[in-house]
Amino acid sequence: MNITRHPENSVSWIDLGTPDTETTTAFYTALFGWTVAPPDPNGYRLCTLRGQLVAALGPAEDAGAPYWTINITVSDIQATATHFTNLGAQIIVAPTEVGTLGHYAVALDPIGAPLSLWQPGTHTGMQLNHEPGTFAGISLLTDHSEQAAVFYRPALHWNSNPEHTEFRLPDNSIAATSPPPGKPTAQRSLWLVSFASNRPDADAKQARQLGATEVRQESNGDVVLRDPTGALFGPTLHAR
């Protein structure tokens, strides 16, 4: 699905900080058919599918296993960062201008899950999703789903069901919750990025052949994997 605009308070971009960009590039290129551009001066590499932006890879900055970061589009990043702080989140990187592309900030929510905020300029985010090899959704790996609901409801207007087992985002996507990420992930909670597929079983098998390891199988049969450098991804969802 081609995208021209991402609703406010929804996921508009994903990127992965990795300790080995060459291995990571080779893995996702082989698995999803991405084209990964040469690095910019900061080592950041844009990933495209059929010429459309889908993600980015860059050098890892945090200790422990690497992880995919979700970026949430907001209209006023300074106000959102202040609101996050008032609700108990930590702002790790204060709102920062990235040329004409936009403004970003990095946060750690009250249950320890990292995420970034993005106020778009010329870069509005993913241009393609819900097609094989592209972003399909997120889920929250945590033992603290009730505490997460208390934060995300006022912070980003994400509603949760009474059991706090899933969130509904402003773009009407559903983000389920499941058990925490476990070692070697340093974060006690983590947002898990899922990718779309028309053949999830075959893609999971190919991922393992390319060096990924299976972490667990969810109740619906989908699998959670770690890529060759340790970043969690999946479960792989059926494309729309």
Side-chain angles (χ1 to χ4, degrees):
M1 181 171 62
N2 288 89
I3 307 160
T4 56
R5 179 178 175 274
H6 293 272
E8 185 173 2
N9 297 336
S10 67
V11 180
S12 59
W13 186 242
I14 54 172
D15 49 26
L16 173 61
T18 171
D20 186 340
T21 52
E22 296 304 325
T23 295
T24 301
T25 295
F27 176 77
Y28 288 102
T29 298
L31 182 62
F32 293 142
W34 292 353
T35 298
V36 180
D40 69 9
N42 297 315
Y44 202 65
R45 304 181 182 207
L46 294 175
C47 307
T48 58
L49 184 66
R50 302 197 309 279
Q52 303 295 304
L53 287 171
V54 293
L57 310 174
E61 298 181 357
D62 290 354
Y67 57 89
W68 281 96
T69 298
I70 62 171
N71 295 258
I72 310 298
T73 280
V74 296
S75 59
D76 186 334
I77 197 167
Q78 188 63 62
T80 303
T82 299
H83 194 37
F84 265 41
T85 300
N86 292 339
L87 291 168
Q90 299 177 53
I91 300 300
I92 307 301
V93 177
T96 303
E97 186 176 11
V98 189
T100 61
L101 296 175
H103 293 74
Y104 83 101
V106 180
L108 197 66
D109 75 15
I111 63 168
L115 72 159
S116 293
L117 303 174
W118 181 253
Q119 181 180 317
T122 57
H123 174 65
T124 58
M126 296 174 284
Q127 297 171 332
L128 198 65
N129 68 12
H130 292 286
E131 294 192 16
T134 70
F135 175 82
I138 56 173
S139 55
L140 180 59
L141 307 182
T142 187
D143 274 334
H144 307 283
S145 57
E146 185 172 355
Q147 187 180 352
V150 169
F151 171 74
Y152 283 105
R153 188 180 303 112
L156 294 173
H157 308 294
W158 294 2
N159 293 316
S160 64
N161 62 3
E163 295 79 25
H164 308 298
T165 57
E166 62 182 30
F167 296 89
R168 180 176 292 276
L169 280 59
D171 60 0
N172 287 321
S173 64
I174 299 296
T177 64
S178 59
K183 300 294 184 182
T185 300
Q187 292 76 17
R188 59 193 175 99
S189 300
L190 189 71
W191 286 103
L192 179 72
V193 170
S194 300
F195 295 93
S197 173
N198 283 332
R199 44 169 214 159
D201 293 339
D203 279 349
K205 180 180 179 181
Q206 184 184 8
R208 290 190 289 268
Q209 292 171 341
L210 291 168
T213 55
E214 185 172 324
V215 175
R216 64 173 181 250
Q217 190 169 57
E218 304 287 42
S219 58
N220 62 359
D222 290 327
V223 295
V224 178
L225 302 163
R226 283 191 188 273
D227 73 18
T229 65
L232 291 167
F233 72 102
T236 306
L237 304 177
H238 284 88
R240 288 179 179 173

